[in-house]
Every structure is written in C-alpha cells, then in structure tokens.
Amino acid sequence: MRVYIPSTLRLLDAACHAGELGPAPLTAYAVTPALREWYAEGDDEELEYAAMAQAARASVGLLAADPETARRRVVVAAEVSAVPPADGSVELGDARLELQVVIPWTTVAAVHLDAAGAAAVVGKAADLWDAAQNGDDDALFALDSCEGEDLLWYATQEIPDLLAAEGPRGRNGSS
C-alpha cells in the first residue's frame, strides 16, 4: 500500500543518508477506510491525492517545529506491506495512520517537494501553524494557501543530486 510521509528537506537528507525513514512510530497518510468513505465518489487517483495533500499539510507542522530548515513541504511516498487498522479515533475523511516500523529507503517510490518559489507562502503558513491549530481564521487561510502550490515529483534516483544541489536546508543552505 502506498503511504505518504510528511517530511522536510533536513529530514529527507537524514533519511537518504541513513537508508531509512524513522524512528518509529511514524505518522503517515494513506487511503484509509475513513478517507474512502468521505470521498465515496472519488476514484483511486483522487483518493491518493487527498492522502498526499494531508501529508503535505502535516509537513507544514514539521517546518514550524524546525525554523532552521527550508520553508518547503516535503512528502515521501513509500510502499509498505501492512497498514495498521484505524483505532476508532479517526474522523471521517482522515487519512492519518501511525506506523510502528521504520521505513527502508528501498521502499520509497518518490518524493514530492515544493518548488523554491513556494517558500514564502509555505513559510508564512509555518510561522502561523500554532495559531492555525487554535482555529485562527487568518492562520487557517495561510495554511490553506499552501494547497495552491503544486508539489514537484522526484524519482528516488534523483534525490541524492537534489539534496546535493539544495543543501540540507534547501537553496544551497539558505532558507
């Protein structure tokens, strides 16, 4: 099953060099029964996109927690063999899962990353993350604005060169 793991350039760099995403538990997003029920009319591609969008939103939270990393959302797409069942506490439409395993780099299918031009929009959302979690309308608008920025797709063999060009913080070490 395809899962989407929120990340940052700094965390991506560490995972690429370590050969795994971890430590467990990992928050991931996938086409869950709750998501499928919410988007009953959606096809598989739309459901995958919705799960990835939730992971991209969670990436903003990781950026908020690490102000020294580049203000670009990162989502790692990986294939896992087993996905835990929902524990009953998820809301309708929620794609979130908690994986109790480390994800080997060999299972990574692709990486999705904001273009450098999205840094201002994403950075504003990261700066307002806590306020958005508390329901502030302006902060929620800033967070929703990130969805207007497309994530670029990178094959796994491109990631080492991307990280070398960007530096662990992005844009050659600057944010």
Side-chain angles (χ1 to χ4, degrees), residues 1-8 12 21 25-32 35-36 43-60 62 73-84 93-99 101 103 107-113 151-154:
M1 169 180 252
R2 175 75 43 106
V3 296
Y4 299 93
I5 304 159
S7 192
T8 65
L12 180 64
L21 292 133
L26 285 170
T27 299
Y29 297 78
V31 178
T32 62
L35 182 66
R36 192 173 294 282
D43 63 20
D44 287 344
E45 187 174 318
E46 291 169 318
L47 291 167
E48 292 280 341
Y49 183 82
M52 186 178 73
Q54 288 186 30
R57 182 173 282 241
S59 176
V60 177
L62 295 174
R73 298 169 299 164
V74 177
V75 176
V76 178
E79 295 293 331
V80 297
S81 59
V83 174
D94 196 352
R96 187 183 45 216
L97 298 168
E98 188 170 286
L99 302 177
V101 295
I103 305 295
T107 66
V108 171
V111 171
H112 304 272
L113 169 68
L151 294 172
L152 305 174
W153 180 90
Y154 292 90

